[in-house]
Amino acid sequence: MAEKTEHRPTARVLNILELLASSPEGLTLTEIAEAIDAPKSTISPFIHTMTQRKFIFQNKNTNKYNIGIASFCVGAAYTNNMSALEFIKSEMKYIVKETNEICQMGILDKGQVLYIAKVDSESPIRIISSVGKRLPAYCTALGKAMLSNIKIEDIKKLYPNGLIPFTSKTITDFNELEKQLKEIQNTNIAYEFGEINEPSYCLSTPLMKNNDILAAISVSVPSFRMTKEKNDLIKKLLLESKIKIETYFREHDIDKNNLTIS
């Protein structure tokens, strides 16, 4: 049976919501149209209705649109039904307490990491990622953790334009990426050193049920605070939380439908 194609008007509404969710500074109508490759005249009625229904709102001073209260309510209702996320966040809070560094959680959305939870430390650093944002998986620790059980041939299909560099340290060679992913399979720890944001280090571990990676959690550390002792502590805490979270997954029959938004 052939796969059904997307309903274009519905897809455009969802594209607008996803775009604004990952653009906290807001976007003008022109910027939205360009980003989703649609004429302004076509999406203008969508924008008007979404604004009227409070799924988005327009800042009258800048003419930029942002996510509205109705979208927040829908998202909050989703999260409130996700006890698995609350359990994971409790582990994340413990990791932050022990390391005083930021802890994040993400899921894999095609070739991107979608950040769905974050716990700040008392000494937060400025990082590129944020809840609701998407970043390429190949140059983030979270992403590498979740790509680690995918064959390199299938990974190449996710990035038909190759591995585009974000910094001078970004991996751009599929062979090197494959080498790192094989190492993650052995250690359950993924690393990213300045590939997406040069002044920071990040360690991550995949969260699995059976052989299926459902999500990953990570700890981000500014380079000036990273020491061997902190590196070892973070690895230990991540692996301990991995065991507890994966036990929760098994005991409560958690699968990707409980953690993904697709």
Side-chain angles (χ1 to χ4, degrees), residues 21-252:
S22 60
S23 305
E25 71 283 359
L27 296 170
T28 65
L29 176 61
T30 299
E31 289 170 334
I32 295 171
E34 290 176 352
I36 67 171
D37 193 24
K40 285 198 295 183
S41 58
T42 299
I43 66 170
S44 184
F46 301 155
I47 295 291
H48 176 74
T49 300
M50 293 164 73
T51 303
Q52 289 292 104
R53 297 285 295 273
K54 301 188 186 311
F55 280 90
I56 64 176
F57 74 91
Q58 185 181 29
N59 185 318
K60 299 303 180 182
N61 295 322
T62 64
N63 287 326
K64 291 186 175 183
Y65 291 90
N66 294 85
I67 284 291
I69 187 64
S71 294
F72 173 80
C73 291
V74 171
Y78 173 86
T79 302
N80 287 340
N81 287 321
M82 296 303 295
S83 59
L85 288 181
E86 290 306 310
F87 181 84
I88 295 170
K89 285 194 74 173
S90 71
E91 286 298 312
M92 293 168 63
K93 289 175 182 177
Y94 177 73
I95 291 173
V96 171
K97 177 177 175 292
E98 294 298 307
T99 64
N100 198 28
E101 303 293 353
I102 293 171
C103 189
Q104 296 185 99
M105 175 189 175
I107 59 175
L108 191 64
D109 184 14
K110 300 181 177 67
Q112 297 181 311
V113 175
L114 172 58
Y115 292 80
I116 63 174
K118 176 185 176 185
V119 178
D120 273 321
S121 70
E122 293 182 358
S123 304
I125 58 172
R126 184 173 182 179
I127 54 178
I128 292 176
S129 54
S130 58
V131 173
K133 189 165 185 175
R134 289 173 169 81
L135 290 174
Y138 63 84
C139 56
T140 64
L142 279 171
K144 291 178 188 179
M146 293 184 287
L147 291 174
S148 61
N149 69 343
I150 301 177
K151 294 179 180 179
I152 196 65
E153 293 78 13
D154 293 326
I155 291 175
K156 288 179 179 179
K157 294 176 184 177
L158 294 174
Y159 308 106
N161 297 320
L163 306 179
I164 299 170
F166 282 78
T167 73
S168 61
K169 298 179 181 179
T170 305
I171 289 180
T172 56
D173 186 292
F174 280 108
N175 292 328
E176 176 59 28
L177 178 61
E178 183 180 25
K179 180 180 176 182
Q180 287 196 20
L181 298 183
K182 287 181 177 178
E183 183 65 21
I184 296 166
Q185 292 175 9
N186 294 326
T187 64
N188 283 313
I189 293 291
Y191 287 96
E192 177 262 305
F193 299 145
E195 293 183 53
I196 195 76
N197 183 27
E198 287 207 18
S200 69
Y201 285 52
C202 192
L203 288 75
S204 178
T205 191
L207 304 177
M208 307 177 70
K209 183 183 179 186
N210 301 323
N211 294 317
D212 196 12
I213 296 177
L214 306 189
I217 55 174
S218 69
V219 177
S220 297
V221 185
S223 55
F224 67 88
R225 284 208 296 259
M226 177 58 85
T227 62
K228 181 182 183 304
E229 291 74 21
K230 176 157 282 192
N231 180 79
D232 291 344
L233 174 62
I234 291 171
K235 284 171 57 178
K236 174 178 175 290
L237 292 169
L238 285 173
L239 293 176
E240 288 175 351
S241 287
K242 173 183 172 68
I243 292 172
K244 287 185 277 186
I245 293 168
E246 290 179 350
T247 299
Y248 183 95
F249 285 169
R250 292 192 300 272
E251 291 180 349
H252 293 80

